[in-house]
């Protein structure tokens, strides 16, 4: 995909000017060390050194241990003949298989309750999911917009849409699951809400992880059937 755009664009929702990217030719590939020198240059911004260190030093080991596969989103700059001149790392994300445990609770009718001695039939179930374990955007591309086919969005939102599109494609061809799942940093919660994610439901009990202190959120990609009677 190749997009040329003027340097400044206008967000129609609030009539506020934003910086627009002048050239965007994205390419997504599974992590590899072919461009290690460029991985070292990735900068997610002040206070996010752990994201920088992950993509430059830890991602391959993470994949080898079965913890998640990292994908690199490049902006490929081409010459007039179409050959690559240079590339910049726009963003990366790491995906892993997971499940979202939940309690399925159905109130028993009076006769069943009397026989069983229970008010509810309670079962622990799980929603198959793909977890976005890491997601980071290069500081250069943060709060930067571009327009494609008449739609103007932040680059980060376009990357997230590509993750969602890829997940939907995987469901049909590679692996069956029903939802995307993640833990959102406080300053990213609104971003994920704007991209269709919701806080987990009352009866969902996400598995513990190092990110459990952050808000657990999910996006249903296929219909999820749950019962939770009061």
């Amino acid at each position: 995909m190749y997009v040329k755009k003027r340097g400044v664009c206008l967000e129609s929702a609030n009539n506020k000017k934003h910086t627009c990217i002048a050239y965007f030719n994205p390419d997504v590939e599974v992590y590899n060390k072919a461009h290690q020198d460029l991985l070292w240059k990735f900068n997610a911004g002040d206070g996010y050194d752990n994201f920088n260190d992950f993509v430059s030093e830890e991602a391959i080991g993470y994949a080898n241990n079965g913890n998640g596969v990292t994908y690199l989103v490049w902006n490929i700059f081409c010459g007039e003949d179409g050959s690559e001149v240079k590339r910049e790392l726009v963003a990366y994300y790491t995906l892993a298989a997971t499940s979202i445990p939940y309690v399925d609770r159905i109130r028993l009718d009076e006769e069943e309750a009397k026989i069983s001695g229970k008010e509810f039939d309670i079962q622990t179930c799980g929603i198959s999911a793909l977890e976005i374990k890491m997601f980071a955007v290069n500081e250069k591309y943060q709060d930067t917009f571009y327009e494609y086919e008449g739609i103007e969005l932040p680059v980060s939102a376009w990357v997230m849409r590509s993750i969602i599109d890829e997940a939907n494609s995987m469901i049909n061809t590679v692996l069956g699951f029903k939802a995307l799942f993640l833990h959102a940093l406080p300053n990213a919660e609104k971003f994920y809400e704007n991209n269709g994610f919701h806080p987990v439901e009352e009866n969902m009990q996400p598995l513990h992880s190092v990110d459990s202190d952050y808000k657990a959120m999910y996006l249903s990609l296929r219909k999820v059937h749950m019962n939770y009677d009061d």
Side-chain angles (χ1 to χ4, degrees):
M1 177 168 55
Y2 172 79
V3 180
K4 269 196 172 182
K5 193 76 169 60
R6 60 189 183 280
V8 175
C9 59
L10 198 65
E11 185 186 39
S12 57
N14 57 15
N15 206 35
K16 180 181 177 182
K17 287 185 177 181
H18 296 280
T19 299
C20 256
I21 192 168
Y23 177 98
F24 197 49
N25 182 29
D27 182 57
V28 181
E29 66 178 9
V30 175
Y31 182 97
N32 64 75
K33 289 191 173 183
H35 303 282
Q36 185 66 44
D37 57 326
L38 299 180
L39 300 182
W40 283 103
K41 294 179 181 179
F42 182 85
N43 181 15
D46 294 339
Y48 296 102
D49 292 342
N50 57 320
F51 286 94
N52 304 336
D53 294 341
F54 181 86
V55 73
S56 61
E57 301 177 12
E58 303 169 19
I60 282 191
Y62 209 71
N64 290 339
N65 291 330
N67 292 322
V69 175
T70 298
Y71 296 80
L72 307 175
V73 183
W74 297 100
N75 189 10
I76 308 296
F77 294 83
C78 298
E80 292 184 359
D81 62 355
S83 62
E84 180 178 332
V85 175
K86 68 172 185 175
R87 62 173 57 200
E88 293 178 341
L89 185 57
V90 176
Y92 75 87
Y93 54 91
T94 305
L95 303 179
T98 191
S99 178
I100 309 173
Y102 69 92
V103 173
D104 201 69
R105 187 171 81 169
I106 301 175
R107 182 179 293 277
L108 299 175
D109 62 35
E110 187 175 341
E111 184 176 346
E112 289 177 315
K114 185 176 180 179
I115 295 173
S116 66
K118 300 185 300 182
E119 185 178 1
F120 298 96
D121 177 40
I122 298 175
Q123 302 290 336
T124 300
C125 306
I127 300 168
S128 55
L130 192 64
E131 182 174 3
I132 304 175
K133 297 185 74 72
M134 302 287 286
F135 178 65
V137 179
N138 194 328
E139 188 174 39
K140 175 180 177 179
Y141 290 89
Q142 294 173 12
D143 300 319
T144 300
F145 285 62
Y146 82 96
E147 182 180 334
Y148 179 67
E149 294 185 347
I151 301 175
E152 184 181 288
L153 286 174
V155 170
S156 56
W158 282 110
V159 175
M160 178 54 65
R161 286 193 174 194
S162 74
I163 297 173
I164 295 170
D165 288 345
E166 179 62 22
N168 274 303
S169 176
M170 290 173 65
I171 289 173
N172 295 328
T173 60
V174 180
L175 178 69
F177 57 92
K178 291 182 177 293
L180 284 172
F181 173 79
L182 55 82
H183 286 93
L185 294 174
N187 62 353
E189 291 176 11
K190 189 65 177 178
F191 167 78
Y192 291 119
E193 288 177 1
N194 289 341
N195 284 278
F197 286 80
H198 304 278
V200 294
E201 309 296 338
E202 177 185 359
N203 60 324
M204 289 180 174
Q205 302 172 345
L207 300 169
H208 178 77
S209 73
V210 295
D211 295 321
S212 290
D213 289 340
Y214 301 121
K215 180 176 287 188
M217 306 183 74
Y218 78 107
L219 170 64
S220 294
L221 301 177
R222 297 295 184 270
K223 191 168 185 178
V224 174
H225 297 279
M226 293 189 298
N227 297 288
Y228 193 72
D229 293 339
D230 294 328

